[in-house]
């Protein structure tokens, strides 16, 4: 093979790698935005600063999500961060849907009594809007054996301290 053809092959390989890298980067940025947009919209609605994506928290979230890939169990990591978890059957669940599910608990939160409506959950919402929380990192995995989708977000500093208002 002559040197011009070799350069052409290498050029095609480099272009292919760049396209794959660009596509992966775009997918990752889309994933980040899908997790962030609903949560930050909830924060802005109550005049809170938006959360900032943190790659360290995202690595922790991915590490933990990988642990849950085997069973898709709704168990918290009990790590050093605040944490929201989500599970959905099937494989079509998006990060936006998980974040929107957490934010939708706003309807059950009563700021004046600092409590959830009887029998309802609102702790995912209060973690999202916790005033001292600044950073978030999240992950999504498809669970083994068709068990569904597991997603988690980790928050730093953590929130949801008993007796304290989120904002």
């Amino acid at each position: 093979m002559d040197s011009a053809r070799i350069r052409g092959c290498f050029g095609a390989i480099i272009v292919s790698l760049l396209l794959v890298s660009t596509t992966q980067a775009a997918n990752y940025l889309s994933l980040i935005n899908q997790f962030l947009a609903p949560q930050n919209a909830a924060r802005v609605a109550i005049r809170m600063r938006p959360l900032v994506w943190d790659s360290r928290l995202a690595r922790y979230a991915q590490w933990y999500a990988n642990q849950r890939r085997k069973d898709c169990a709704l168990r918290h990591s009990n790590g050093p961060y605040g944490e929201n978890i989500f599970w959905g059957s099937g494989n079509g669940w998006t990060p936006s849907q998980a974040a929107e599910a957490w934010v939708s608990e706003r309807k059950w939160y009563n700021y004046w009594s600092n409590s959830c409506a009887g029998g309802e959950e609102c702790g995912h919402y209060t973690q999202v809007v916790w005033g001292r929380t600044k950073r978030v990192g999240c992950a999504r995995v498809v669970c083994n054996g068709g068990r569904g989708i597991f997603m988690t977000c980790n928050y730093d500093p953590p929130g949801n301290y008993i007796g304290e208002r989120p904002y």
Side-chain angles (χ1 to χ4, degrees):
M1 197 182 267
D2 65 24
S3 63
R5 288 186 74 189
I6 292 172
R7 281 194 305 272
C9 288
F10 281 128
I13 291 169
I14 289 170
V15 168
S16 295
L17 289 173
L18 286 173
L19 288 173
V20 168
S21 296
T22 303
T23 301
Q24 288 175 336
N27 289 342
Y28 186 65
L29 290 174
S30 174
L31 179 100
I32 291 170
N33 189 53
Q34 286 184 54
F35 276 119
L36 275 178
Q39 296 184 80
N40 281 337
R43 291 176 68 89
V44 168
I46 55 170
R47 296 184 176 99
M48 301 294 297
R49 288 185 181 209
L51 296 171
V52 174
W53 188 261
D54 184 291
S55 59
R56 177 180 47 93
L57 293 171
R59 282 191 301 276
Y60 180 85
Q62 189 65 60
W63 169 81
Y64 186 65
N66 288 339
Q67 308 307 304
R68 297 279 57 92
R69 185 187 305 267
K70 298 172 202 146
D71 58 12
C72 228
L74 274 176
R75 274 188 262 161
H76 284 280
S77 69
N78 297 316
Y81 308 113
E83 185 171 71
N84 281 340
I85 57 176
F86 174 93
W87 171 82
S89 65
N91 62 4
W93 294 95
T94 66
S96 293
Q97 290 171 311
E100 288 163 6
W102 299 327
V103 168
S104 75
E105 293 178 1
R106 178 181 185 185
K107 65 183 168 276
W108 306 119
Y109 179 67
N110 182 312
Y111 180 81
W112 306 112
S113 66
N114 192 31
S115 64
C116 305
E120 301 295 340
E121 280 194 45
C122 63
H124 299 102
Y125 168 73
T126 55
Q127 176 58 82
V128 167
V129 298
W130 198 263
R132 289 188 299 274
T133 298
K134 307 293 182 221
R135 296 170 296 283
V136 65
C138 308
R140 175 190 186 274
V141 295
V142 176
C143 298
N144 296 344
R147 289 187 173 96
I149 301 293
F150 180 88
M151 290 182 256
T152 181
C153 284
N154 291 96
Y155 303 85
D156 192 42
N160 280 346
Y161 292 107
I162 295 172
E164 291 186 28
R165 291 182 193 278
Y167 50 89

